[in-house]
């Protein structure tokens, strides 16, 4: 029973922080209270811890169904994320696969260090020394991860559309498959009669998982740069349209000024002519001139070109 409690405790400490870490980028889209979220996540982690404890004590047959049980737990977490956050599935898968790759790196490095320090622990799945080493590495790396999740990753989720993350998930999904395959190889080596691990296989596995994490960051930076470029191009296009409109407005204003100048010139001319008729006392000539001038004015009774007033004004103007 003590062994089951020990396994359950370390399973909880090694798994619960990862699932809580996945929540960090999505807090702005949280639909429920944080205490509800944390209680649900912790409860699921406790159920997982209970599974590990029972598997190592009274229910060893659960080893035969380990893969299916873990998939069930993963799906349970995914359902909770989708329920508690207003997020799209590709974004959720992206962060979930990131956390899985990060967890794999810690687990493999922790096992490697543990075996180097305590060679007889090679076949022990959950040695206390191994668990403490992984917890120590989590404590050292989590501040940097939380900063990354709150900063660049959250900004990427806000700026990039969900469909972009389907493409970004391709590389993480491939590394997930590689991790599963290599993890199975290492597990078989640890439980083989020789009780030895091929150092080359171990080194390749560490390099692959580290490459996976680096690829995450690189692809994310590339996507953010592309989004920034697209946003700048859209802003430049908007500025060009605005400048074109301003240029057209300036041309229209210049034309209006010229028309006003011509109208003032014509008005002064008409006033001069009418003043000359008045000085001469030629009332008939003034009446004839006004009659001719009235004929040159547009007919106010002219039928509209269309029912839309704005379009009608433009048509009449041109």
């Amino acid at each position: 029973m003590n062994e089951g409690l020990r396994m359950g405790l370390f399973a909880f400490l090694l798994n619960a922080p990862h699932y809580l870490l996945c929540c960090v980028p999505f807090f702005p889209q949280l639909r429920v209270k944080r205490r509800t979220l944390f209680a649900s996540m912790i409860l699921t982690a406790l159920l997982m811890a209970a599974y590990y404890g029972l598997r190592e004590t009274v229910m060893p047959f659960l080893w035969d169904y380990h893969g299916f049980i873990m998939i069930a737990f993963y799906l349970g977490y995914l359902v909770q994320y989708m329920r508690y956050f207003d997020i799209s599935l590709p974004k959720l898968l992206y962060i979930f696969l990131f956390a899985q790759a990060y967890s794999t790196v810690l687990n493999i490095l922790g096992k490697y260090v543990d075996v180097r320090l305590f060679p007889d622990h090679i076949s022990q799945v959950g040695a206390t020394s191994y668990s403490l080493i992984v917890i120590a590495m989590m404590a050292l790396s989590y501040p940097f991860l939380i900063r990354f999740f709150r900063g660049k990753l959250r900004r990427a989720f806000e700026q990039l559309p969900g469909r972009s993350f389907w493409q970004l998930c391709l590389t993480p999904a491939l590394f997930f498959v590689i991790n599963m395959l290599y993890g199975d190889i290492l597990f078989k080596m640890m439980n083989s009669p020789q009780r030895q691990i091929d150092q080359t296989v171990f080194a390749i596995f560490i390099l692959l998982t580290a490459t996976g994490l680096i690829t995450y960051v690189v692809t994310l930076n590339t996507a953010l740069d592309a989004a920034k470029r697209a946003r700048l191009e859209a802003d430049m296009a908007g500025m060009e349209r605005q400048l074109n409109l301003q240029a057209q407005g300036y041309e229209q204003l210049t034309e209006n000024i010229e028309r006003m100048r011509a109208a003032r010139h014509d008005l002064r001319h008409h006033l001069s002519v009418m003043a000359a008729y008045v000085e001469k006392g030629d009332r008939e000539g003034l009446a004839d001139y006004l009659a001719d001038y009235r004929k040159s004015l547009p007919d106010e009774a002219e039928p509209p070109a269309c029912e839309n007033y704005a379009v009608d004004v433009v048509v009449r103007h041109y």
Side-chain angles (χ1 to χ4, degrees):
M1 184 60 68
N2 290 336
E3 177 65 14
L5 290 175
R6 186 188 67 82
M7 284 294 298
L9 174 62
F10 283 122
F12 177 80
L13 294 176
L14 294 177
N15 288 287
H18 296 318
Y19 299 112
L20 294 176
L21 179 68
C22 291
C23 301
V24 173
F26 305 126
F27 277 139
Q29 289 81 39
L30 185 62
R31 292 173 173 171
V32 298
K33 295 181 178 180
R34 291 197 178 190
R35 62 172 178 266
T36 303
L37 168 69
F38 292 149
S40 179
M41 293 292 174
I42 291 175
L43 178 61
T44 308
L46 287 174
L47 291 175
M48 183 180 291
Y51 155 70
Y52 276 98
L54 294 173
R55 189 192 65 184
E56 294 301 317
T57 54
V58 296
M59 296 182 180
F61 64 88
L62 292 176
W63 271 109
D64 298 333
Y65 308 97
H66 177 73
F68 297 103
I69 294 174
M70 293 309 299
I71 290 176
F73 275 116
Y74 291 155
L75 291 177
Y77 275 113
L78 289 175
V79 170
Q80 291 179 70
Y81 288 128
M82 293 295 294
R83 180 181 177 184
Y84 296 145
F85 296 100
D86 184 17
I87 52 177
S88 61
L89 181 60
K91 292 181 179 180
L92 177 58
L93 289 177
Y94 182 83
I95 189 65
F96 202 78
L97 292 173
F98 185 96
Q100 193 278 336
Y102 165 73
S103 174
T104 301
V105 171
L106 292 185
N107 292 334
I108 297 302
L109 286 176
K111 188 63 179 178
Y112 179 78
V113 174
D114 185 46
V115 171
R116 298 288 293 181
L117 296 176
F118 309 100
D120 57 320
H121 288 179
I122 188 171
S123 61
Q124 297 184 22
V125 177
T128 300
S129 56
Y130 154 77
S131 300
L132 293 176
I133 291 170
V134 175
I135 291 173
M137 290 191 294
M138 289 169 58
L140 293 174
S141 58
Y142 256 54
F144 301 99
L145 276 179
I146 292 176
R147 181 180 178 183
F148 173 71
F149 280 20
R150 284 180 175 175
K152 185 168 293 185
L153 195 57
R154 184 179 293 180
R155 188 166 64 253
F157 286 158
E158 292 174 352
Q159 296 180 2
L160 299 177
R163 61 179 180 274
S164 298
F165 281 88
W166 282 120
Q167 298 176 352
L168 292 176
C169 281
L170 292 178
T171 301
L174 178 60
F175 275 99
F176 177 81
V177 174
I178 293 174
N179 288 339
M180 296 295 291
L181 294 176
Y182 262 90
D184 185 62
I185 293 173
L186 290 177
F187 181 78
K188 290 180 180 178
M189 286 182 178
M190 289 187 296
N191 290 275
S192 64
Q194 294 79 16
R195 307 281 184 175
Q196 293 181 353
I197 297 179
D198 190 333
Q199 298 297 321
T200 302
V201 175
F202 217 124
I204 292 174
F205 193 15
I206 293 175
L207 287 175
L208 281 173
T209 51
T211 302
L213 290 177
I214 294 173
T215 304
Y216 268 100
V217 179
V218 172
T219 54
L220 188 65
N221 285 333
T222 303
L224 281 175
D225 291 340
K228 183 178 180 180
R229 241 183 350 261
R231 190 167 58 254
L232 290 175
E233 290 176 356
D235 292 343
M236 289 294 295
M239 292 177 63
E240 289 180 359
R241 287 193 298 270
Q242 188 174 4
L243 289 174
N244 290 334
L245 290 175
Q246 290 178 353
Q248 293 176 5
Y250 177 76
E251 292 177 0
Q252 187 69 32
L253 179 61
T254 303
E255 292 177 1
N256 291 336
I257 293 174
E258 292 297 329
R259 283 197 294 269
M260 289 295 295
R261 185 179 293 122
R264 285 196 299 269
H265 174 75
D266 292 342
L267 181 59
R268 285 195 295 268
H269 172 72
H270 293 310
L271 291 176
S272 299
V273 173
M274 286 187 292
Y277 279 116
V278 172
E279 289 176 1
K280 294 178 182 179
D282 188 358
R283 295 175 61 85
E284 293 182 0
L286 177 60
D288 293 339
Y289 179 79
L290 291 175
D292 292 338
Y293 177 66
R294 188 178 292 111
K295 292 178 181 179
S296 65
L297 295 176
D299 186 7
E300 294 182 358
E302 181 181 353
C306 66
E307 295 181 358
N308 189 305
Y309 177 75
V311 177
D312 183 64
V313 169
V314 175
V315 172
R316 289 172 180 272
H317 173 74
Y318 289 101

